[in-house]
Amino acid sequence: MKFAALGLVQVGLIAALAWLPGAHRFPWPGLGLFGAAFGAYAVAVLLAFRTLPDARVVWTVAVLARLVLVPAEPALSDDHYRYLWDGHVQVAGVNPYRYAPAAPELDAVDTPERARVNNPAVPTIYPPLAQFAFLLVAVTGSGLVGLKLLWLACDLATGWVLARVAARSGREPAPVLLAYLWAPLLIVEVAWNAHLETLGLLPMVAALWAAAAAGRTAGRPRPLDVLTGALLAASALVKI
């Protein structure tokens, strides 16, 4: 019950930060709400490494905390406009690295995101695997919600893989799961502000798993070594 209570407190604080009018303003009241959420998180993590939490509670709180933020418009970042814009440019058959958003050559691709992209005179900085994700969202027409759901799928999958890495190393997976999945900064930046980092985190953590598995086959041909390198490359191809 104590983990469920701490988790629900954190969910409430994060929801208030995103949904109460003016609550996200910094330093106050945003800093107070964010700090309180981190306080609840810190207590939960300390408890988790002393008393094992129920994995079902960990997952339930993690999913709930993310779902309450998915419908919220990002308020602390405008990077998602660039993601969506790069996707539209690719759908139009244009190389996203060729022109900056403000270039007249892209006037035919004008969308609402174009006017809101930060640094409009600078071409995209995002590597090819990120661009593929932007294209996927643009093709499906899922917009901001599509971005968030894709990032959250990678986010939750990263937690699952981390638990497998912990179990392989002889650790209890539940505390590791809680430490990752309940991190307020992670939840806010992915589920609310739609940042793409989890798209790169997933292959990075999967590379840890592959490297640990490869270590058990010393002296034999190790295709898992190749997989480890490929996963690390995939991570770098999301964001350098």
Side-chain angles (χ1 to χ4, degrees):
M1 290 297 294
K2 56 190 173 184
F3 287 106
L6 286 167
L8 290 177
V9 167
Q10 188 176 325
V11 170
L13 290 166
I14 288 173
L17 184 66
W19 288 105
L20 290 181
H24 61 271
R25 292 175 183 163
F26 283 83
W28 312 110
L31 189 59
L33 288 169
F34 216 6
F38 267 102
Y41 166 70
V43 172
V45 171
L46 289 173
L47 284 175
F49 283 96
R50 295 178 181 179
T51 305
L52 288 181
D54 187 329
R56 293 171 296 181
V57 172
V58 174
W59 279 108
T60 300
V61 169
V63 171
L64 181 61
R66 286 157 173 79
L67 288 181
V68 298
L69 296 182
V70 168
E73 186 74 18
L76 306 178
S77 171
D78 56 7
D79 288 351
H80 60 287
Y81 295 122
R82 174 74 73 162
Y83 306 164
L84 295 171
W85 169 251
D86 283 359
H88 289 307
V89 169
Q90 292 178 81
V91 168
V94 180
N95 184 336
Y97 300 108
R98 187 171 185 184
Y99 302 113
E105 290 84 354
L106 295 178
D107 287 348
V109 195
D110 205 10
T111 71
E113 292 82 18
R114 186 186 190 193
R116 306 184 75 174
V117 171
N118 58 35
N119 298 304
V122 178
T124 189
I125 63 170
Y126 294 100
L129 189 55
Q131 294 295 338
F132 179 78
F134 304 158
L135 174 61
L136 178 64
V137 171
V139 167
T140 59
S142 51
L144 176 59
V145 172
L147 280 176
K148 289 188 176 188
L149 292 178
L150 180 56
W151 306 156
L152 288 176
C154 295
D155 181 24
L156 296 175
T158 298
W160 185 86
V161 176
L162 274 175
R164 305 284 74 74
V165 173
R168 179 176 286 277
S169 65
R171 295 177 179 271
E172 287 289 345
V176 175
L177 263 179
L178 188 147
Y180 174 80
L181 290 174
W182 287 21
L185 184 61
L186 174 72
I187 296 168
V188 164
E189 289 306 311
V190 179
W192 184 16
N193 292 315
H195 279 134
L196 58 63
E197 273 72 13
T198 56
L199 183 66
L201 277 178
L202 177 57
M204 181 186 296
V205 172
L208 293 176
W209 173 86
R216 296 190 171 202
T217 58
R220 303 177 185 176
R222 296 189 291 183
L224 282 175
D225 288 341
V226 177
L227 178 61
T228 300
L231 287 167
L232 286 175
S235 182
L237 286 171
V238 171
K239 190 172 181 182
I240 298 172

